[in-house]
Amino acid sequence: MEAPNAFYAAAVWRRHRDAFLRNWTTEAAGVFLEPLIILGAFGYGLGQFVGEVEGDLSYAAYLMPGLIAGYAMFHALFEGTYGAYLRLSMHRVFDSMLATPMQVEDLVLGETLWGASRSVLTAIAVLVASIGFGLIESPLAVLAVPMAFLVGLVFYPMALCATATVPSINSLNNVFTVVAVPMYFVSGIFFPVSSLPEWAQPIIWALPLTASAHLMRGLVLGPLDMTHLYAFVALSAMIVVFWLLATHLMRRRLIT
């Protein structure tokens, strides 16, 4: 496996950026509106019945960082599954790129950077709304933006692994119904992991979204401790593992 070429990876990112900007009005609702509706409905609707969480946090304040992590995951997964599958099998964009001197490593890196950039867009939308709702007090909340990029770097190559192996686009539904949605509801976004049965907690902490939500909450609300460092190290390791796996599977799908 060769080291990726940053110039070619950046070319992939620019291609996807230009395509997004040409059609941004059709995607704005998913990027900006959906997480805001969830924040309002759960944080302020359900939050009236929940009360305070983990000390003196309102439920809306507790929920907000987890939503940023959750929607960063969803946007990375959606782009890495349906978006990448269309480029791979229907629009033949990947074939066109690999007809140039670009290698699979460059393609996967550029794809991953673009998927992480999509995660940042929804993070910014939730942060702006949270400021309007008065949920953010610490200036450290701006760290949610690079943290969302990190979340995208974890989940986009995971999605590419599925895209490289599924027989049809319909099979990608399983990424969401079997993996993403269940993980979204048990990874500490809507309630603390400590409220789950003790036997389930180690399993839940092993999920990438749990580490993402925990680190996001520490950055946005504080205080940070060693558990957040452990979460960062775990996510960094996942990025390397899933990127290598996605590159291997994409090479097998596209070349061999």
Side-chain angles (χ1 to χ4, degrees):
M1 182 178 295
E2 299 180 5
N5 184 300
F7 177 80
Y8 292 136
V12 175
W13 185 91
R14 288 195 301 270
R15 183 267 171 201
H16 297 338
R17 176 205 61 190
D18 293 343
F20 175 82
L21 290 177
R22 285 196 297 269
N23 302 285
W24 71 271
T25 54
T26 62
E27 302 192 48
V31 173
F32 299 106
L33 294 182
E34 184 179 355
L36 305 187
I37 293 171
I38 295 295
L39 179 61
F42 281 84
Y44 290 95
L46 182 62
Q48 295 183 26
F49 302 95
V50 174
E52 295 180 346
V53 184
E54 290 191 339
D56 58 351
L57 280 178
S58 69
Y59 186 64
Y62 174 85
L63 179 64
M64 177 264 297
L67 280 184
I68 297 176
Y71 275 92
M73 174 194 72
F74 277 122
H75 280 269
L77 287 179
F78 190 85
E79 185 68 20
T81 51
Y82 296 108
Y85 190 90
L86 291 175
R87 295 190 287 271
L88 168 69
S89 295
M90 298 182 179
H91 300 161
R92 299 294 181 183
V93 174
F94 289 178
D95 288 340
S96 299
M97 290 179 175
L98 293 178
T100 70
M102 184 179 299
Q103 302 298 315
V104 175
E105 291 83 359
D106 313 326
L107 172 62
V108 173
L109 178 59
E111 285 280 323
T112 301
L113 293 174
W114 171 246
S117 299
R118 289 292 304 266
S119 296
V120 166
L121 293 178
T122 190
I124 293 173
V126 178
L127 274 178
V128 171
S130 299
I131 293 172
F133 289 144
L135 298 177
I136 293 179
E137 298 179 356
S138 171
L140 291 177
V142 71
L143 295 176
V145 175
M147 179 60 209
F149 191 83
L150 181 72
V151 175
L153 292 179
V154 174
F155 285 99
Y156 193 87
M158 290 176 60
L160 278 185
C161 291
T163 300
T165 54
V166 295
S168 69
I169 193 171
N170 293 329
S171 301
L172 293 173
N173 294 335
N174 294 325
V175 174
F176 296 91
T177 58
V178 178
V179 179
V181 172
M183 186 164 51
Y184 179 62
F185 285 109
V186 301
S187 294
I189 293 175
F190 295 96
F191 53 84
V193 176
S194 59
S195 63
L196 293 170
E198 290 188 6
W199 63 265
Q201 292 180 28
I203 300 173
I204 300 303
W205 277 111
L207 300 175
L209 186 57
T210 307
S212 300
H214 180 64
L215 183 53
M216 185 73 75
R217 189 167 284 117
L219 291 172
V220 174
L221 301 177
L224 293 171
D225 55 36
M226 288 301 296
T227 64
H228 298 98
L229 177 60
Y230 299 151
F232 176 79
V233 172
L235 292 173
S236 300
M238 291 178 191
I239 291 171
V240 175
V241 170
F242 286 117
W243 184 83
L244 292 174
L245 182 59
T247 302
H248 169 73
L249 294 174
M250 272 294 171
R251 179 184 291 107
R252 189 175 67 178
R253 177 73 178 256
L254 292 166
I255 297 178
T256 58

